[in-house]
């Protein structure tokens, strides 16, 4: 019996050691401002705008993933859906509901590109329908920011550093 228990404990230790080496984690690991440029998300219950207020483009945005709840859900949004995989210096990218014309934040004179999502239940920045409190901004498999979600009538803002050597 003791030998079986020891075998189980050794197996458990091996599994835990293997899992600890995985790159995905639930802890936020923000990048330093020295590692990139700051991007800002402005959002309400009907739209989200990503603003690049820098003098340098944010390129290879396909590395970005926005996740509310569990990774792989139907409400995840991938940066590969940003046209051209770039948010130019001083530009804004907007996600909104088809047929809605939301107001842009004052920082965005013109929206350079946008994506329309037909189903508000898939808006990763909203609390509903799963009653989420936050959503994650991921760079590949690493969470680089955790942002608060909004409910109807609320507005939110979240900043994160995006690497310039991407």
């Amino acid at each position: 019996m003791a030998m079986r228990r020891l075998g189980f404990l050794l197996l458990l230790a091996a599994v835990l050691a293997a899992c600890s080496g995985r790159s995905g984690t639930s802890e936020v690991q923000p990048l330093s401002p020295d590692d990139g440029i700051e991007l800002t998300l402005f959002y309400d219950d009907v739209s989200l705008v990503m603003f690049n207020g820098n003098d340098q483009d944010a390129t290879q945005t396909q590395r970005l993933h926005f996740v509310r709840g569990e990774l792989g859900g139907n409400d995840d949004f991938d940066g590969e859906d940003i046209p051209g995989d770039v948010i130019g210096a001083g530009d804004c990218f907007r996600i909104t509901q088809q047929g809605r014309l939301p107001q842009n934040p004052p920082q965005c004179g013109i929206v350079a590109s946008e994506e329309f999502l037909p189903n508000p239940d898939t808006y990763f920045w909203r609390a509903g329908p799963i009653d989420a409190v936050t959503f994650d901004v991921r760079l590949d498999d690493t969470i680089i920011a955790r942002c608060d979600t909004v409910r109807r009538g609320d507005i939110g803002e979240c900043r994160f550093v995006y690497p310039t050597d991407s």
Side-chain angles (χ1 to χ4, degrees):
M1 183 75 142
M3 202 55 134
R4 183 180 286 182
R5 182 175 293 153
L6 178 61
F8 174 75
L9 290 174
L10 288 173
L11 177 64
L12 181 61
V15 169
L16 290 174
C19 289
S20 68
R22 292 186 181 166
S23 60
T25 178
S26 62
E27 293 182 27
V28 179
Q29 299 176 15
L31 297 175
S32 161
D34 295 334
D35 295 330
I37 57 176
E38 186 176 74
L39 299 179
T40 306
L41 303 175
F42 299 99
Y43 47 103
D44 58 23
D45 58 329
V46 296
S47 69
L48 177 138
V49 173
M50 189 179 324
F51 172 59
N52 177 358
N54 304 276
D55 58 2
Q56 188 172 3
D57 293 348
T59 60
Q60 297 184 24
T61 58
Q62 76 274 8
R63 296 182 65 200
L64 283 173
H65 308 282
F66 300 88
V67 178
R68 173 184 67 179
E70 293 294 318
L71 180 63
N74 71 344
D75 55 358
D76 292 359
F77 184 83
D78 292 323
E80 68 185 20
D81 293 326
I82 296 172
D85 289 329
V86 64
I87 301 172
D91 285 347
C92 290
F93 166 72
R94 179 173 62 198
I95 304 171
T96 191
Q97 187 174 1
Q98 188 79 37
R100 301 288 296 254
L101 266 178
Q103 284 205 300
N104 293 326
Q107 293 85 341
C108 299
I110 297 175
V111 172
S113 60
E114 66 186 324
E115 177 76 15
F116 296 102
L117 297 178
N119 183 354
D121 287 348
T122 63
Y123 293 1
F124 62 85
W125 63 92
R126 287 179 51 169
I130 64 170
D131 206 26
V133 177
T134 61
F135 65 91
D136 293 336
V137 179
R138 293 175 177 248
L139 179 68
D140 301 321
D141 292 328
T142 303
I143 300 170
I144 59 172
R146 185 160 285 143
C147 307
D148 294 334
T149 58
V150 294
R151 297 186 181 282
R152 283 202 185 274
D154 291 344
I155 58 171
E157 181 177 321
C158 186
R159 297 171 190 269
F160 62 94
V161 174
Y162 186 76
T164 52
D165 64 347
S166 55

